[in-house]
Amino acid sequence: MLTKFETKSNRVKGLSFHTKRPWILASLHSGVIQLWDYRMGTLIDRFDEHDGPVRGVHFHKSQPLFVSGGDDYKIKVWNYKLHRCLFTLLGHLDYIRTVQFHHEYPWIVSASDDQTIRIWNWQSRTCISVLTGHNHYVMCALFHPKEDLVVSASLDQTVRVWDIGALRKKTVSPADDMLRLSQMNTDLFGGVDAVVKYVLEGHDRGVNWAAFHPTLPLIVSGADDRQVKLWRMNDTKAWEVDTLRGHMNNVSCVMFHAKQDIIVSNSEDKSIRVWDVTKRTGVQTFRREHDRFWILASHPEMNLLAAGHDSGMIVFKLERERPAFSVSGDSMFYAKDRFLRFYEFSTQRDTQVIPIRRPGSVSLNQGPRTLSYSPTENAVLICSDVDGGSYELYVVPKDSMGRGDSMQEAKRGSGGSAVFVARNRFAVLDKSNNQVLVKNLKNEVIKKGSLPIAADAIFYAGTGNLLCRAEDRVVIFDLQQRMVLGELQTPFVKYIVWSNDMESVGLLSKHAIVIASKKLVHQCTLHETIRVKSGAWDDNGVFIYTTLNHIKYCLPNGDSGIIRTLDVPIYITKVSGNEIFCLDRDGKNRTIVIDATEYIFKLSLMKKKYDHVMSMIRNSQLCGQAMIAYLQQKGFPEVALHFVKDERTRFNLALESGNIQIAVASAKEIDEKDHWYKLGVEALRQGNAGIVEYAYQRTKNFERLSFLYLITGNMEKLSKMLKIAEVKNDVMGQFHNALYLGDVRERVKILENAGHLPLAYITASVHGLQDVAERLAAELGDNVPMLAQEKVPSLMMPPTPILSGGDWPLLRVMRGIFEGGLDSIGRGGHDEDEEAADADWGEELDMVDVDGLQNGDISAVLEDGEVPEEHEEEGGWDLEDLELPPEADTPRASVNARSSVFVAPTPGMPVSQIWIQRSSLAAEHAAAGNFDTAMRLLSRQLGIRNFVPLRPMFLDLHTGSHTYLRAYSSAPVLSLAVERGWNESASPNVRGPPALVFNFSQLEEKLKAAYKATTAGKFTEALRLFLSILHTIPLIVVESRREVDEVKELIIIVKEYVLGLQMELKRKEMKDNPVRQQELAAYFTHCNLQMPHLRLALQNAMTVCYKSKNLNTAANFARRLLETNPTSENQGKMARQVLQAAEKNLKDVSELNYDFRNPFVVCGATYVPIYRGQKDVSCPYCSSRFVPSQEGQLCTVCDLAVVGADASGLLCSPSQIR
């Protein structure tokens, strides 16, 4: 059984499939009717108007209706589009068991516990016939799919067949008057519409279900006597043919399968059984743990069944419908109806080759699952699930290709999957031992080999290679060298499709597609909500695949889309140009012509084949919102512009691509305030003052206009703005304009007119207008405001713009790839001469080629540093009469009037971004100011989690890699990147890596200073220096591999000292624990120190132990000290004396946790020895060792990394990455 969909709910009593849509109705014991989409697995709707269980439900064949019958004695007819019940049919006096629409007439048949069957007309909403005769509950009643018959089953142990021919004749309006008369008589005197044709007796208990065969005169019934009976009928009588025994409890439902010669039954014994009609034997049984089955339904057109049980329902198939096939070049072998067939794509010739598989299977799902073909030997391997997985090998004789009659004995063997791996070798998977057997065409094992993963299937992956599948991954395995060539984690993979050149592979799982390279390097993953069915590669490297209801495409970059919808699922075998070759579920070859324009267009855009893109835009109907959004998202708004007719979309795209001319044209068409405002913002960004001015004029945005004139230094127009404000009596506007102009008298006048005399007085006196101030003082009399004496007033005068004039100069930019080609479209080809006449750029500016310029380096564009003045009149206002003109002329964007030649240059990439683009070195990320990625890198490479000690270094690196220049007093400070290893001859366009303030030689100096401090016994100072080295190393960058090794060596040296000094400082704190003091002194001698420091440590440990009367241990230290040949006479003499004293009494007073004979390392946190063979964990950065309980804690030695964390290792040189 192949379960397609399952629900969990209350007990399911009734089921019905929709004929066309992937829907199923389930009526529940709780009174709810659920409508499910079994393909998507979603609940679409629920209907709950019935009171009590709903036992019967049925979809209408063509109308948006369904009918339901329940324990509330009601039959309800529903419209699922309107989501409501249309009407209720009343008449039954007890529970209603089943309801069904007639396939042709507007009839509903219902069976009830009131011992009657009723036929209703749902158009007139009346009962047109009552069938009486059963003398117990009627459990089911169904129409015959073609004839005028009804079958019913009852607990009175009989099955009855009723003839309703008279009812049909009555429904069809009679043409003849005599007939009409006789009909009236029957209506008046109660004629009989339905008569019992047969009563089938044979069951010993109540019958629960009876059903007709779709085409043959057969009936099947199931009863409480646990038997399924098969009956046959002819025109005159009906008789029992056979009994199928096997169920262990009441049989609740039984039916014929529409496509195969089988009967399906289910029962309260918690099982579904499948029976062979011809042999009358059980074929297969499916059991559930706890749920009794109540109802079965079959799809009217597809090979689907559904069963309802105590806790939900299942939609399932009995057999796989996917044909097994193998494509090789222009031909394909496939299996259909027990024959191996051959199909040629170019000629579409289909031939039968040889019969396969012994006929008559004992159980379901024994058909061929996979097929593998070796073209040179003309051999075919067919795998199936027979005997728990087996294969058959056929060598097809060349001459019999067309005849298809020669029966040949196949070479068989057991194995889950078998594939050809070379011309005359095939591999068979032996699951039990997880090994693969390579066999020759005589079916003899040539070699065996175990697989790298627990594989449950193998696929071809190129000559000599296998692709092995496990639950969560696939690997490519080379059978010759016995090595894994690639591995990839994936959802459970069902099918594998190689591209024609074997460079890419599509891995298909139930709801996902993974595209990978031939070494299984992941390229993209697509997720589908509906099941993925098949796929093939087209000639351009696009993966075309099908789901249950769509053909879709997937581009190499992961973009996907729908090509077309499907009515029925198909299995793609080959894609050639715009033709898809496929097999359908009946094993027929079909060819589907598709429109490949969309994905070819996207592919060309992705591969930057712009000429191709151009021709497609000209010649195809590609427009649509989705395409425009796609182009916009991929950064080609200027291409999208040429698809769009809608002005608003054009406007937005023009702004996005910086095409001011088109934006102005669209804004004029739309003529809305916010569009003009957006246009102004974009024009301002491009420095196109003329257009900004025009946009503000159109929206009468006077405040912004005034400010624009202020920053462009256009005093003349500012004074005009002042006059406009006066005319409009806009006091604030007048004041602002006077302020911008620096016209103090005007400001005083405005304040005075507004009645703000004190403010007017202060303004006049501060700016030295004494005559005005005196006049105002006289007016104010005693209320003259006091001016603060000690403060020096500053005058509010606007600064003059540095450059005043029209538009900013523009760089010459390369013409966009698309623009030249696209200009002729959509414009209808303007007259070229007109264009040139307008172009006032060429003469006024000496353009310099932009190759030598950095983006933004505008000074070089103008030879004399002057900006050409705009013609003053252009776009100006005729303000003599101080009236605003109705329509100001559109100023030309001061771009060479052929707008598309100039687009505002895109800002270059900041140097800091260039630095981090290709670098995996944390120091370079920190220098670029990208601290978070630097921290992420350190965390990944060295397991560092505590960044507090590194913070000052990060800041030093960042400030140290930049220098700062002052510009104008009003402009911000410019930061310039300082590069490592820069010289005069370096190319200006190639950026070097950042200069770093830390280098390796500084660390060597620090190390010497730390050694010195250790010798002098300044342990705290020495520890600080060693830790500082340890904290700087992660941010060091060196050039050569040799230096990388030196850096790694330095970590080990420093780590040993940090640990030793930490123990020594700890020992000095412990005055009252002599045993621990001796232990720490002893451990210090086992740190890897320089010789002079080791001698000092040994002397120290010897002294401590001698004083504590541990003479044996002291003697050991003395011996070790003498072995180092001490240079100081003092040390040697002391050691010899200790040895002499100890030899008289080789005893230890106190026992130490210290065994010098057994090699050990010291735990960096607890300072206890970890002897060889004991478990330990280490710090991923400084490699100090710890007892296992410290895992996950911060390393106490380097104070940076987490003990036991996963890390990839120190990366401190570009040479490690190359």
Side-chain angles (χ1 to χ4, degrees):
M1 176 195 282
L2 300 151
T3 306
K4 295 291 170 191
F5 172 60
E6 256 192 274
T7 68
K8 295 270 175 289
S9 68
N10 217 296
R11 183 184 305 171
V12 173
K13 298 296 280 184
L15 287 171
S16 175
F17 278 103
H18 194 283
T19 45
K20 294 287 182 285
R21 300 192 183 185
W23 291 353
I24 185 165
L25 276 172
S27 63
L28 311 186
H29 202 264
S30 62
V32 175
I33 302 166
Q34 296 178 330
L35 175 59
W36 290 91
D37 183 322
Y38 52 82
R39 196 176 272 176
M40 296 284 282
T42 50
L43 179 64
I44 299 172
D45 211 338
R46 55 199 301 275
F47 308 89
D48 47 359
E49 281 184 27
H50 277 288
D51 213 358
V54 184
R55 296 178 192 271
V57 68
H58 191 236
F59 264 122
H60 193 279
K61 187 177 174 186
S62 53
Q63 299 292 324
L65 303 176
F66 68 88
V67 59
S68 62
D71 285 8
D72 51 6
Y73 315 168
K74 290 175 183 164
I75 295 172
K76 287 180 179 285
V77 176
W78 311 72
N79 184 318
Y80 57 73
K81 281 191 178 163
L82 304 176
H83 310 286
R84 66 186 179 85
C85 172
L86 298 180
F87 54 89
T88 304
L89 301 170
L90 299 172
H92 279 298
L93 307 173
D94 206 336
Y95 297 173
I96 294 159
R97 293 285 174 174
T98 64
V99 284
Q100 186 197 19
F101 279 112
H102 193 274
H103 55 91
E104 200 175 323
Y105 295 115
W107 294 346
I108 292 168
V109 64
S110 59
S112 162
D113 285 4
D114 63 9
Q115 306 184 11
T116 67
I117 298 154
R118 283 174 182 254
I119 297 176
W120 313 75
N121 183 321
W122 56 263
Q123 286 177 343
S124 64
R125 305 185 184 182
T126 52
C127 175
I128 54 173
S129 186
V130 181
L131 283 59
T132 53
H134 282 296
N135 50 29
H136 206 310
Y137 301 165
V138 184
M139 298 302 283
C140 95
L142 301 173
F143 286 118
H144 191 282
K146 297 201 173 51
E147 297 171 31
D148 298 328
L149 297 174
V150 169
V151 66
S152 62
S154 162
L155 294 190
D156 63 10
Q157 305 182 11
T158 66
V159 173
R160 288 177 182 244
V161 178
W162 310 75
D163 186 341
I164 52 167
L167 193 65
R168 184 176 66 90
K169 290 195 184 80
K170 185 170 143 187
T171 309
V172 181
S173 169
D176 186 346
D177 284 343
M178 277 308 290
L179 279 171
R180 190 176 283 130
L181 191 66
S182 67
Q183 187 177 319
M184 282 162 68
N185 289 340
T186 48
D187 280 359
L188 284 168
F189 305 111
V192 184
D193 298 326
V195 291
V196 176
K197 200 169 182 188
Y198 321 112
V199 178
L200 310 178
E201 294 177 316
H203 283 290
D204 306 336
R205 296 272 180 87
V207 188
N208 290 318
W209 202 268
F212 287 115
H213 191 283
T215 51
L216 301 172
L218 295 175
I219 293 173
V220 66
S221 61
D224 288 351
D225 60 6
R226 307 176 185 181
Q227 294 174 1
V228 172
K229 286 191 184 286
L230 187 60
W231 316 78
R232 194 174 188 100
M233 56 185 182
N234 61 16
D235 288 344
T236 54
K237 64 180 198 295
W239 63 97
E240 183 180 329
V241 178
D242 210 340
T243 303
L244 308 171
R245 294 178 176 82
H247 280 295
M248 322 295 248
N249 205 331
N250 306 344
V251 180
S252 44
C253 190
V254 59
M255 67 198 316
F256 289 104
H257 192 285
K259 299 269 171 75
Q260 291 154 288
D261 282 341
I262 52 177
I263 290 171
V264 185
S265 64
N266 67 10
S267 151
E268 294 177 42
D269 67 4
K270 311 184 183 73
S271 75
I272 299 176
R273 287 176 188 256
V274 181
W275 316 81
D276 187 320
V277 176
T278 44
K279 295 186 187 167
R280 325 261 167 79
T281 53
V283 180
Q284 216 156 356
T285 306
F286 308 110
R287 285 195 173 79
R288 276 188 84 85
E289 290 281 304
H290 309 294
D291 302 313
R292 297 166 299 178
F293 282 102
W294 298 104
I295 182 75
L296 278 169
S298 72
H299 196 288
E301 319 212 335
M302 283 158 59
N303 192 3
L304 278 179
L305 296 171
H309 52 75
D310 279 340
S311 59
M313 60 143 172
I314 45 176
V315 176
F316 61 97
K317 257 188 206 177
L318 291 174
E319 291 199 275
R320 298 170 80 249
E321 294 180 279
R322 182 193 181 90
F325 63 88
S326 172
V327 176
S328 163
D330 182 45
S331 57
M332 169 181 74
F333 278 92
Y334 67 103
K336 177 188 175 183
D337 302 336
R338 302 180 184 163
F339 280 98
L340 178 67
R341 301 182 70 91
F342 172 80
Y343 181 74
E344 215 168 5
F345 293 113
S346 51
T347 58
Q348 300 197 8
R349 191 166 57 94
D350 194 344
T351 45
Q352 195 165 296
V353 184
I354 47 171
I356 51 171
R357 199 182 115 205
R358 48 208 174 283
S361 60
V362 279
S363 77
L364 298 164
N365 265 330
Q366 303 289 294
R369 258 186 105 84
T370 62
L371 202 145
S372 180
Y373 173 60
S374 165
T376 45
E377 302 292 324
N378 223 27
V380 176
L381 266 173
I382 295 175
C383 301
S384 64
D385 291 343
V386 179
D387 310 330
S390 61
Y391 66 88
E392 296 173 4
L393 172 66
Y394 296 92
V395 179
V396 182
K398 290 273 191 224
D399 53 352
S400 81
M401 284 296 270
R403 295 216 306 279
D405 49 7
S406 58
M407 183 71 192
Q408 62 158 268
E409 197 45 48
K411 297 185 171 65
R412 294 197 169 84
S414 65
S417 48
V419 288
F420 280 105
V421 287
R423 183 175 63 85
N424 53 3
R425 299 275 183 275
F426 63 94
V428 182
L429 174 66
D430 173 7
K431 271 194 218 173
S432 50
N433 305 317
N434 196 38
Q435 59 178 9
V436 65
L437 317 173
V438 179
K439 302 189 174 187
N440 62 13
L441 294 182
K442 293 178 180 158
N443 211 12
E444 301 159 345
V445 177
I446 293 172
K447 72 175 198 183
K448 293 183 181 180
S450 57
L451 290 172
I453 57 170
D456 58 5
I458 53 175
F459 303 91
Y460 176 69
T463 306
N465 296 343
L466 280 182
L467 195 142
C468 313
R469 171 190 80 187
E471 270 295 318
D472 59 342
R473 70 190 57 220
V474 288
V475 302
I476 289 189
F477 183 60
D478 187 324
L479 289 169
Q480 295 304 113
Q481 303 171 33
R482 305 234 168 143
M483 59 187 269
V484 173
L485 302 179
E487 178 172 353
L488 184 61
Q489 291 212 324
T490 61
F492 182 72
V493 172
K494 295 180 75 172
Y495 309 109
I496 280 174
V497 188
W498 285 95
S499 61
N500 302 337
D501 54 5
M502 292 296 285
E503 287 298 315
S504 309
V505 64
L507 308 167
L508 277 59
S509 53
K510 203 186 241 178
H511 290 290
I513 292 173
V514 179
I515 306 286
S517 72
K518 64 175 174 190
K519 289 273 166 65
L520 287 188
V521 177
H522 179 265
Q523 285 169 0
C524 63
T525 302
L526 283 184
H527 293 282
E528 290 288 342
T529 44
I530 294 183
R531 295 182 187 225
V532 177
K533 281 297 175 195
S534 67
W537 294 84
D538 91 337
D539 312 326
N540 303 303
V542 177
F543 189 65
I544 309 291
Y545 64 98
T546 62
T547 63
L548 275 171
N549 50 5
H550 286 119
I551 301 179
K552 296 182 147 189
Y553 64 84
C554 168
L555 298 181
N557 63 356
D559 286 339
S560 67
I562 296 176
I563 295 174
R564 59 166 286 175
T565 50
L566 290 171
D567 305 329
V568 290
I570 56 161
Y571 303 93
I572 298 185
T573 51
K574 186 183 172 77
V575 180
S576 170
N578 63 349
E579 284 189 317
I580 289 182
F581 295 96
C582 57
L583 282 165
D584 62 16
R585 283 183 159 166
D586 299 330
K588 291 194 188 76
N589 278 290
R590 290 172 51 184
T591 311
I592 298 178
V593 177
I594 55 164
D595 177 10
T597 325
E598 181 185 326
Y599 73 78
I600 297 293
F601 179 80
K602 290 183 177 180
L603 185 72
S604 307
L605 205 56
M606 189 191 100
K607 291 189 170 170
K608 302 192 169 53
K609 293 186 180 164
Y610 296 126
D611 48 342
H612 197 181
V613 173
M614 292 293 318
S615 68
M616 289 184 76
I617 289 175
R618 286 205 190 93
N619 306 330
S620 70
Q621 298 298 310
L622 258 172
C623 44
Q625 284 301 323
M627 209 47 170
I628 293 161
Y630 180 83
L631 286 164
Q632 226 170 332
Q633 173 203 343
K634 292 291 174 209
F636 294 105
E638 69 275 20
V639 184
L641 254 180
H642 295 274
F643 284 115
V644 186
K645 299 286 177 282
D646 174 53
E647 290 297 346
R648 287 166 198 275
T649 318
R650 270 179 84 77
F651 177 80
N652 290 329
L653 289 170
L655 285 195
E656 202 176 322
S657 54
N659 194 332
I660 285 290
Q661 279 309 85
I662 290 185
V664 172
S666 294
K668 271 181 162 176
E669 292 292 327
I670 301 165
D671 201 15
E672 278 176 15
K673 208 164 184 175
D674 56 337
H675 283 76
W676 285 115
Y677 170 66
K678 283 181 190 163
L679 176 67
V681 171
E682 175 61 20
L684 196 57
R685 196 183 68 78
Q686 294 188 15
N688 196 328
I691 296 284
V692 182
E693 182 183 354
Y694 180 60
Y696 290 164
Q697 285 174 5
R698 286 298 295 253
T699 52
K700 303 198 170 35
N701 199 331
F702 297 128
E703 290 87 348
R704 284 205 167 84
L705 259 177
S706 296
F707 197 72
L708 175 72
Y709 293 144
L710 170 69
I711 58 173
T712 52
N714 196 332
M715 292 303 158
E716 187 186 339
K717 289 194 178 170
L718 251 181
S719 47
K720 286 185 182 174
M721 291 304 295
L722 183 58
K723 287 177 189 161
I724 290 174
E726 270 177 44
V727 170
K728 291 186 66 196
N729 201 10
D730 172 6
V731 180
M732 255 349 267
Q734 278 175 280
F735 188 76
H736 277 147
N737 283 311
L739 191 61
Y740 294 161
L741 279 163
D743 186 339
V744 183
R745 280 187 187 280
E746 188 63 32
R747 263 165 55 205
V748 175
K749 190 176 103 186
I750 293 165
L751 287 168
E752 192 181 344
N753 292 346
H756 289 294
L757 293 182
L759 279 177
Y761 168 75
I762 292 172
T763 309
S765 53
V766 166
H767 288 81
L769 301 174
Q770 288 310 322
D771 49 343
V772 181
E774 284 162 12
R775 179 171 63 73
L776 288 168
E779 277 187 47
L780 282 163
D782 296 342
N783 298 335
V784 175
M786 291 295 293
L787 294 179
Q789 291 306 316
E790 67 278 2
K791 290 195 175 166
V792 181
S794 60
L795 306 184
M796 284 173 71
M797 300 297 275
T800 43
I802 299 155
L803 295 172
S804 56
D807 298 345
W808 297 354
L810 293 179
L811 293 183
R812 175 169 291 169
V813 245
M814 294 313 293
R815 184 162 224 186
I817 308 141
F818 297 107
E819 284 152 9
L822 289 174
D823 270 354
S824 51
I825 323 165
R827 273 180 183 250
H830 271 327
D831 201 358
E832 292 290 326
D833 304 338
E834 268 179 56
E835 308 265 356
D838 273 354
D840 48 26
W841 258 95
E843 297 77 357
E844 293 187 22
L845 288 185
D846 266 331
M847 284 301 209
V848 181
D849 238 11
V850 82
D851 297 348
L853 295 180
Q854 294 285 306
N855 261 353
D857 185 359
I858 291 175
S859 58
V861 176
L862 300 179
E863 287 203 324
D864 52 1
E866 264 299 308
V867 179
E869 281 288 323
E870 275 285 302
H871 298 307
E872 287 295 331
E873 298 77 19
E874 180 184 52
W877 297 345
D878 184 7
L879 278 174
E880 298 316 302
D881 53 355
L882 302 186
E883 276 303 317
L884 276 177
E887 191 71 28
D889 285 351
T890 317
R892 294 188 302 277
S894 60
V895 192
N896 192 334
R898 193 72 182 280
S899 67
S900 30
V901 180
F902 295 100
V903 177
T906 47
M909 194 184 284
V911 178
S912 54
Q913 203 175 331
I914 297 174
W915 282 346
I916 61 174
Q917 259 189 338
R918 288 191 299 277
S919 171
S920 304
L921 301 171
E924 296 188 352
H925 283 254
N930 231 15
F931 293 173
D932 54 341
T933 53
M935 297 200 292
R936 261 197 300 256
L937 284 168
L938 288 175
S939 172
R940 198 165 64 224
Q941 292 163 6
L942 299 173
I944 294 180
R945 192 167 70 192
N946 176 22
F947 289 97
V948 179
L950 299 182
R951 183 168 180 249
M953 323 244 190
F954 273 33
L955 294 170
D956 291 352
L957 280 168
H958 182 45
T959 42
S961 64
H962 291 76
T963 180
Y964 300 90
L965 298 178
R966 294 295 299 269
Y968 295 123
S969 55
S970 60
V973 174
L974 305 175
S975 77
L976 293 177
V978 184
E979 294 171 12
R980 186 160 80 241
W982 184 85
N983 59 11
E984 292 289 337
S985 59
S987 154
N989 293 332
V990 178
R991 289 292 180 188
L996 302 176
V997 289
F998 303 122
N999 59 26
F1000 191 51
S1001 53
Q1002 294 167 344
L1003 296 188
E1004 288 177 323
E1005 293 302 314
K1006 249 189 203 169
L1007 184 65
K1008 286 178 192 159
Y1011 280 161
K1012 221 181 225 161
T1014 311
T1015 313
K1018 298 178 184 162
F1019 291 157
T1020 319
E1021 171 63 10
L1023 183 59
R1024 188 184 65 75
L1025 285 165
F1026 280 124
L1027 273 173
S1028 150
I1029 296 174
L1030 215 44
H1031 291 166
T1032 315
I1033 287 176
L1035 299 172
I1036 285 293
V1037 173
V1038 294
E1039 291 308 319
S1040 66
R1041 274 299 172 97
R1042 187 179 55 75
E1043 288 175 305
V1044 173
D1045 296 338
E1046 286 175 12
V1047 173
K1048 288 182 176 168
E1049 210 172 294
L1050 181 60
I1051 297 177
I1052 303 299
I1053 295 170
V1054 173
K1055 176 256 309 192
E1056 292 286 336
Y1057 271 90
V1058 171
L1059 177 60
L1061 292 172
Q1062 282 176 339
M1063 288 195 295
E1064 188 55 24
L1065 288 168
K1066 177 103 171 141
R1067 181 183 75 78
K1068 293 201 163 156
E1069 289 167 17
M1070 292 189 167
K1071 294 281 184 279
D1072 49 355
N1073 188 345
V1075 174
R1076 186 69 176 140
Q1077 273 195 329
Q1078 293 173 68
E1079 286 175 356
L1080 291 174
Y1083 302 155
F1084 191 16
T1085 67
H1086 287 264
C1087 290
N1088 199 349
L1089 308 176
Q1090 298 285 321
M1091 193 50 83
H1093 301 149
L1094 179 63
R1095 288 184 191 130
L1096 290 167
L1098 285 164
Q1099 182 183 347
N1100 178 24
M1102 175 178 80
T1103 316
V1104 174
C1105 291
Y1106 190 76
K1107 281 183 184 165
S1108 299
K1109 305 279 190 298
N1110 272 14
L1111 302 183
N1112 190 9
T1113 313
N1116 163 46
F1117 290 132
R1119 255 182 242 108
R1120 277 176 62 197
L1121 180 55
L1122 288 171
E1123 282 165 14
T1124 66
N1125 299 327
T1127 46
S1128 139
E1129 188 50 48
N1130 212 356
Q1131 282 179 335
K1133 184 176 168 194
M1134 194 187 210
R1136 281 190 283 280
Q1137 285 172 344
V1138 169
L1139 264 179
Q1140 282 168 2
E1143 272 163 4
K1144 296 171 190 162
N1145 180 16
L1146 270 181
K1147 264 215 198 75
D1148 282 351
V1149 176
S1150 46
E1151 190 181 330
L1152 304 181
N1153 179 9
Y1154 170 63
D1155 178 1
F1156 60 83
R1157 293 180 198 78
N1158 194 351
F1160 66 85
V1161 290
V1162 181
C1163 166
T1166 56
Y1167 307 137
V1168 296
I1170 304 172
Y1171 292 107
R1172 185 176 290 166
Q1174 288 180 336
K1175 278 210 174 104
D1176 63 354
V1177 285
S1178 62
C1179 165
Y1181 167 43
C1182 66
S1183 71
S1184 309
R1185 308 275 272 286
F1186 296 85
V1187 291
S1189 64
Q1190 289 293 318
E1191 185 161 4
Q1193 305 293 324
L1194 204 59
C1195 168
T1196 46
V1197 178
C1198 63
D1199 193 30
L1200 296 175
V1202 174
V1203 176
D1206 273 340
S1208 56
L1210 179 70
L1211 200 57
C1212 62
S1213 165
S1215 64
Q1216 287 171 278
I1217 305 162
R1218 283 184 204 122

